[in-house]
Amino acid sequence: MSDAEKKSPPKKLTPTDVLTGESPLVLTATLEPIAGDRFQPAGFPEIGHVIYKAPRKDGSTENVCIVDSAASMANHLETVCQRGAHDLDLVDALSGMPYIRCVTGALENDRLPSDKRETIVTSLTEGHRIASSYFLDGAALKPDGSKGNGKFEADLVAKFGIVLPGSSKAHPPPERWWDVFKGIFEIDPNSLVHGVLFPQWQIKIPRALTAHLEAFGAGRVDRSGVKFDRLGKTTSGQPIFAVDDATAESIRATFVIDVSLIRSFGRKKGETTLGLSEKQQEFLVALALWKVQQLLASPFRFRSGCNLRRTALKSYEQDVEIEVDIANAIKTAGLDKLPVTDVFWPRDELYREGQEAVASGGENDDGGEETGG
């Protein structure tokens, strides 16, 4: 029997086992370009992509290239939930999972029928997710299509139970955090996977799933591009620009699931469940695993010139295989009975020019996600 035949089968990772196992769960995927040996990492203004010297235990150093940051990888992991870059509907596998849509359209008798709603963004495309101003400052639509009273922000404050008596501000005392976790879960559970920040309420929940993509033994490849200016709008008429690619001995994506954090979203106290039930926590683990599985299932285009495919998936040096039934996880968590939340904006307000105050930092950048590359 050959060594290959003696190789043990990969360990199966299920949401149930992960939720009750050690924390954090670290998954490492080895990737390679689908063609050739060059790839394009995320670039930054003025400096291009980043290669740094990482110290090793034997005293040497290794060139490591940042291909995608944690924020950029979060964006990639959320794209696998929707049908396409310009099709914001959820994929069939996630049917029933609640999320939020910012919609507009012409009201009919003060109502916006479901077939007249134009989706602008969703909580899966917005960097701030449920905390985005596109949702907080709009009005949630009732089941009959009429607008709710006041902003969606007020609905959340009431749902979280964080109103301070005699004050216009809100802040969750310790016993209200269970309602915060449960409220977010029922409206947009994806926000608990990737983290969310409401700076105005001192609510900050870190990422339960963190990922980054790096290349080891990396080298910079400098080349150029050219733009032909056929209308003569530039002084050169044929501007040449610099392009940075990279090569590497290996490319690795690392996924870290903070299982302890997910377990902290709920617990039993006697016969009472505080926050999320065990099945609801298991859904968050299932969603995190499903996202990793989908990202690695086939070659993924992280950006132009960076189309990578998986060659191996390990956890602590052991080959693993993700086994998750996300449709069943949605049902057992009770999410299929919860609605998609539509938040309405009048078209003329939605597309008005940005105010100076908003442009200078109306939203706190701490919780946002960057766009890789």
PDB file of all heavy atoms in Angstrom, residues 268-285:
ATOM      1  N   LYS A 268     -28.011  29.349  29.343  1.00  0.00           N
ATOM      2  CA  LYS A 268     -29.169  28.956  30.126  1.00  0.00           C
ATOM      3  C   LYS A 268     -29.012  29.466  31.550  1.00  0.00           C
ATOM      4  O   LYS A 268     -27.927  29.451  32.122  1.00  0.00           O
ATOM      5  CB  LYS A 268     -29.314  27.435  30.139  1.00  0.00           C
ATOM      6  CG  LYS A 268     -29.615  26.796  28.780  1.00  0.00           C
ATOM      7  CD  LYS A 268     -31.031  27.051  28.327  1.00  0.00           C
ATOM      8  CE  LYS A 268     -32.011  26.192  29.114  1.00  0.00           C
ATOM      9  NZ  LYS A 268     -33.386  26.298  28.576  1.00  0.00           N
ATOM     10  N   LYS A 269     -30.106  29.951  32.114  1.00  0.00           N
ATOM     11  CA  LYS A 269     -30.151  30.323  33.524  1.00  0.00           C
ATOM     12  C   LYS A 269     -31.389  29.656  34.094  1.00  0.00           C
ATOM     13  O   LYS A 269     -32.501  30.166  33.964  1.00  0.00           O
ATOM     14  CB  LYS A 269     -30.227  31.842  33.688  1.00  0.00           C
ATOM     15  CG  LYS A 269     -30.149  32.293  35.145  1.00  0.00           C
ATOM     16  CD  LYS A 269     -30.132  33.809  35.233  1.00  0.00           C
ATOM     17  CE  LYS A 269     -29.999  34.265  36.692  1.00  0.00           C
ATOM     18  NZ  LYS A 269     -29.979  35.752  36.806  1.00  0.00           N
ATOM     19  N   GLY A 270     -31.170  28.495  34.707  1.00  0.00           N
ATOM     20  CA  GLY A 270     -32.306  27.682  35.119  1.00  0.00           C
ATOM     21  C   GLY A 270     -33.036  27.181  33.892  1.00  0.00           C
ATOM     22  O   GLY A 270     -32.431  26.575  32.999  1.00  0.00           O
ATOM     23  N   GLU A 271     -34.313  27.433  33.819  1.00  0.00           N
ATOM     24  CA  GLU A 271     -35.103  27.021  32.656  1.00  0.00           C
ATOM     25  C   GLU A 271     -35.185  28.126  31.611  1.00  0.00           C
ATOM     26  O   GLU A 271     -35.806  27.948  30.566  1.00  0.00           O
ATOM     27  CB  GLU A 271     -36.520  26.651  33.115  1.00  0.00           C
ATOM     28  CG  GLU A 271     -36.572  25.454  34.061  1.00  0.00           C
ATOM     29  CD  GLU A 271     -36.002  24.199  33.410  1.00  0.00           C
ATOM     30  OE1 GLU A 271     -36.294  23.970  32.223  1.00  0.00           O
ATOM     31  OE2 GLU A 271     -35.254  23.476  34.094  1.00  0.00           O
ATOM     32  N   THR A 272     -34.575  29.266  31.913  1.00  0.00           N
ATOM     33  CA  THR A 272     -34.660  30.423  31.017  1.00  0.00           C
ATOM     34  C   THR A 272     -33.428  30.505  30.111  1.00  0.00           C
ATOM     35  O   THR A 272     -32.303  30.269  30.564  1.00  0.00           O
ATOM     36  CB  THR A 272     -34.763  31.730  31.825  1.00  0.00           C
ATOM     37  OG1 THR A 272     -35.894  31.647  32.698  1.00  0.00           O
ATOM     38  CG2 THR A 272     -34.925  32.936  30.904  1.00  0.00           C
ATOM     39  N   THR A 273     -33.657  30.825  28.833  1.00  0.00           N
ATOM     40  CA  THR A 273     -32.552  31.063  27.904  1.00  0.00           C
ATOM     41  C   THR A 273     -32.291  32.554  27.812  1.00  0.00           C
ATOM     42  O   THR A 273     -33.187  33.336  27.471  1.00  0.00           O
ATOM     43  CB  THR A 273     -32.886  30.517  26.497  1.00  0.00           C
ATOM     44  OG1 THR A 273     -33.087  29.109  26.580  1.00  0.00           O
ATOM     45  CG2 THR A 273     -31.755  30.806  25.524  1.00  0.00           C
ATOM     46  N   LEU A 274     -31.083  32.940  28.121  1.00  0.00           N
ATOM     47  CA  LEU A 274     -30.673  34.344  27.993  1.00  0.00           C
ATOM     48  C   LEU A 274     -29.973  34.512  26.652  1.00  0.00           C
ATOM     49  O   LEU A 274     -29.039  33.770  26.331  1.00  0.00           O
ATOM     50  CB  LEU A 274     -29.733  34.729  29.132  1.00  0.00           C
ATOM     51  CG  LEU A 274     -30.278  34.575  30.558  1.00  0.00           C
ATOM     52  CD1 LEU A 274     -29.184  34.891  31.579  1.00  0.00           C
ATOM     53  CD2 LEU A 274     -31.490  35.476  30.785  1.00  0.00           C
ATOM     54  N   GLY A 275     -30.411  35.492  25.858  1.00  0.00           N
ATOM     55  CA  GLY A 275     -29.773  35.716  24.560  1.00  0.00           C
ATOM     56  C   GLY A 275     -30.099  34.611  23.576  1.00  0.00           C
ATOM     57  O   GLY A 275     -31.250  34.195  23.454  1.00  0.00           O
ATOM     58  N   LEU A 276     -29.068  34.115  22.879  1.00  0.00           N
ATOM     59  CA  LEU A 276     -29.279  33.118  21.829  1.00  0.00           C
ATOM     60  C   LEU A 276     -29.315  31.712  22.401  1.00  0.00           C
ATOM     61  O   LEU A 276     -28.541  31.364  23.298  1.00  0.00           O
ATOM     62  CB  LEU A 276     -28.163  33.205  20.784  1.00  0.00           C
ATOM     63  CG  LEU A 276     -27.934  34.556  20.101  1.00  0.00           C
ATOM     64  CD1 LEU A 276     -26.977  34.372  18.921  1.00  0.00           C
ATOM     65  CD2 LEU A 276     -29.237  35.178  19.643  1.00  0.00           C
ATOM     66  N   SER A 277     -30.208  30.895  21.843  1.00  0.00           N
ATOM     67  CA  SER A 277     -30.258  29.480  22.219  1.00  0.00           C
ATOM     68  C   SER A 277     -29.067  28.750  21.602  1.00  0.00           C
ATOM     69  O   SER A 277     -28.343  29.290  20.750  1.00  0.00           O
ATOM     70  CB  SER A 277     -31.561  28.861  21.720  1.00  0.00           C
ATOM     71  OG  SER A 277     -31.557  28.812  20.300  1.00  0.00           O
ATOM     72  N   GLU A 278     -28.895  27.499  22.008  1.00  0.00           N
ATOM     73  CA  GLU A 278     -27.791  26.710  21.461  1.00  0.00           C
ATOM     74  C   GLU A 278     -27.934  26.515  19.956  1.00  0.00           C
ATOM     75  O   GLU A 278     -26.950  26.571  19.209  1.00  0.00           O
ATOM     76  CB  GLU A 278     -27.746  25.353  22.172  1.00  0.00           C
ATOM     77  CG  GLU A 278     -26.513  24.540  21.829  1.00  0.00           C
ATOM     78  CD  GLU A 278     -26.385  23.299  22.692  1.00  0.00           C
ATOM     79  OE1 GLU A 278     -26.487  23.430  23.935  1.00  0.00           O
ATOM     80  OE2 GLU A 278     -26.201  22.215  22.126  1.00  0.00           O
ATOM     81  N   LYS A 279     -29.155  26.299  19.473  1.00  0.00           N
ATOM     82  CA  LYS A 279     -29.369  26.121  18.038  1.00  0.00           C
ATOM     83  C   LYS A 279     -29.088  27.418  17.271  1.00  0.00           C
ATOM     84  O   LYS A 279     -28.615  27.393  16.134  1.00  0.00           O
ATOM     85  CB  LYS A 279     -30.805  25.657  17.776  1.00  0.00           C
ATOM     86  CG  LYS A 279     -31.044  24.202  18.128  1.00  0.00           C
ATOM     87  CD  LYS A 279     -30.165  23.276  17.295  1.00  0.00           C
ATOM     88  CE  LYS A 279     -30.405  21.824  17.613  1.00  0.00           C
ATOM     89  NZ  LYS A 279     -29.477  20.917  16.852  1.00  0.00           N
ATOM     90  N   GLN A 280     -29.366  28.547  17.892  1.00  0.00           N
ATOM     91  CA  GLN A 280     -29.080  29.827  17.242  1.00  0.00           C
ATOM     92  C   GLN A 280     -27.568  30.083  17.187  1.00  0.00           C
ATOM     93  O   GLN A 280     -27.055  30.585  16.195  1.00  0.00           O
ATOM     94  CB  GLN A 280     -29.810  30.951  17.983  1.00  0.00           C
ATOM     95  CG  GLN A 280     -31.326  30.881  17.805  1.00  0.00           C
ATOM     96  CD  GLN A 280     -32.095  31.824  18.701  1.00  0.00           C
ATOM     97  OE1 GLN A 280     -31.645  32.158  19.790  1.00  0.00           O
ATOM     98  NE2 GLN A 280     -33.279  32.245  18.263  1.00  0.00           N
ATOM     99  N   GLN A 281     -26.862  29.733  18.262  1.00  0.00           N
ATOM    100  CA  GLN A 281     -25.407  29.838  18.234  1.00  0.00           C
ATOM    101  C   GLN A 281     -24.836  28.891  17.165  1.00  0.00           C
ATOM    102  O   GLN A 281     -23.889  29.237  16.449  1.00  0.00           O
ATOM    103  CB  GLN A 281     -24.833  29.490  19.601  1.00  0.00           C
ATOM    104  CG  GLN A 281     -25.231  30.447  20.712  1.00  0.00           C
ATOM    105  CD  GLN A 281     -24.830  29.938  22.080  1.00  0.00           C
ATOM    106  OE1 GLN A 281     -23.808  29.282  22.239  1.00  0.00           O
ATOM    107  NE2 GLN A 281     -25.638  30.225  23.089  1.00  0.00           N
ATOM    108  N   GLU A 282     -25.434  27.703  17.079  1.00  0.00           N
ATOM    109  CA  GLU A 282     -24.964  26.724  16.091  1.00  0.00           C
ATOM    110  C   GLU A 282     -25.159  27.247  14.677  1.00  0.00           C
ATOM    111  O   GLU A 282     -24.342  26.990  13.789  1.00  0.00           O
ATOM    112  CB  GLU A 282     -25.728  25.412  16.286  1.00  0.00           C
ATOM    113  CG  GLU A 282     -25.135  24.232  15.543  1.00  0.00           C
ATOM    114  CD  GLU A 282     -25.808  22.924  15.938  1.00  0.00           C
ATOM    115  OE1 GLU A 282     -25.792  22.598  17.139  1.00  0.00           O
ATOM    116  OE2 GLU A 282     -26.362  22.253  15.050  1.00  0.00           O
ATOM    117  N   PHE A 283     -26.226  28.019  14.460  1.00  0.00           N
ATOM    118  CA  PHE A 283     -26.419  28.604  13.130  1.00  0.00           C
ATOM    119  C   PHE A 283     -25.282  29.572  12.789  1.00  0.00           C
ATOM    120  O   PHE A 283     -24.795  29.601  11.657  1.00  0.00           O
ATOM    121  CB  PHE A 283     -27.754  29.346  13.037  1.00  0.00           C
ATOM    122  CG  PHE A 283     -27.834  30.191  11.793  1.00  0.00           C
ATOM    123  CD1 PHE A 283     -28.093  29.613  10.565  1.00  0.00           C
ATOM    124  CD2 PHE A 283     -27.577  31.557  11.845  1.00  0.00           C
ATOM    125  CE1 PHE A 283     -28.119  30.383   9.406  1.00  0.00           C
ATOM    126  CE2 PHE A 283     -27.601  32.331  10.688  1.00  0.00           C
ATOM    127  CZ  PHE A 283     -27.876  31.735   9.469  1.00  0.00           C
ATOM    128  N   LEU A 284     -24.859  30.388  13.751  1.00  0.00           N
ATOM    129  CA  LEU A 284     -23.769  31.338  13.473  1.00  0.00           C
ATOM    130  C   LEU A 284     -22.484  30.596  13.089  1.00  0.00           C
ATOM    131  O   LEU A 284     -21.763  31.018  12.181  1.00  0.00           O
ATOM    132  CB  LEU A 284     -23.530  32.233  14.691  1.00  0.00           C
ATOM    133  CG  LEU A 284     -24.684  33.169  15.082  1.00  0.00           C
ATOM    134  CD1 LEU A 284     -24.306  33.986  16.315  1.00  0.00           C
ATOM    135  CD2 LEU A 284     -25.057  34.097  13.930  1.00  0.00           C
ATOM    136  N   VAL A 285     -22.217  29.482  13.776  1.00  0.00           N
ATOM    137  CA  VAL A 285     -21.055  28.667  13.403  1.00  0.00           C
ATOM    138  C   VAL A 285     -21.256  28.088  12.005  1.00  0.00           C
ATOM    139  O   VAL A 285     -20.341  28.092  11.175  1.00  0.00           O
ATOM    140  CB  VAL A 285     -20.835  27.534  14.427  1.00  0.00           C
ATOM    141  CG1 VAL A 285     -19.730  26.593  13.956  1.00  0.00           C
ATOM    142  CG2 VAL A 285     -20.485  28.107  15.797  1.00  0.00           C
TER     143      VAL A 285
END
